[in-house]
Amino acid sequence: MPKTNFDQLERLHWLIARGRAGPPAALAAQLGMAPRSLFRYLRALRQLGAPVVFCRCTGRYSYTAEWHLPEKVAGLADNQNSQLSNQ
């Protein structure tokens, strides 16, 4: 079963929240996407209010404060999957 855009967004959030989101190329490969797509997903997280940053010292993405993926996003996932792909 192919992953939906929401599945990928949720996975990215999970990796960032657990400190497992490494450098862009490695993170993109881990998610099975191109680095350009990864940047789109990171932008989407920021648009949702995620305080995500990349630390050059550790080479990882992280949140600057505790943040949770809004539950309302899951309900909108089916309607907005195509929007994320088209950005």
Side-chain angles (χ1 to χ4, degrees), residues 36-74:
R36 185 173 176 173
S37 295
L38 171 65
F39 294 125
R40 286 186 195 125
Y41 281 91
L42 288 166
R43 184 174 57 230
L45 283 176
R46 288 182 180 115
Q47 289 172 344
L48 290 169
V52 62
V53 296
F54 181 77
C55 178
R56 292 180 190 211
C57 294
T58 62
R60 297 183 183 278
Y61 286 94
S62 64
Y63 292 127
T64 58
E66 187 172 329
W67 187 81
H68 300 282
L69 194 60
E71 289 186 27
K72 66 179 181 178
V73 175

Side-chain angles (χ1 to χ4, degrees), residues 6-55:
F6 179 73
D7 291 336
Q8 292 288 65
L9 190 67
E10 191 173 43
R11 176 81 173 138
L12 175 58
H13 163 66
W14 188 90
L15 290 168
I16 294 171
R18 283 153 186 80
R20 296 183 178 178
L27 181 56
Q30 188 175 3
L31 292 166
M33 64 177 65
R36 185 173 176 173
S37 295
L38 171 65
F39 294 125
R40 286 186 195 125
Y41 281 91
L42 288 166
R43 184 174 57 230
L45 283 176
R46 288 182 180 115
Q47 289 172 344
L48 290 169
V52 62
V53 296
F54 181 77
C55 178

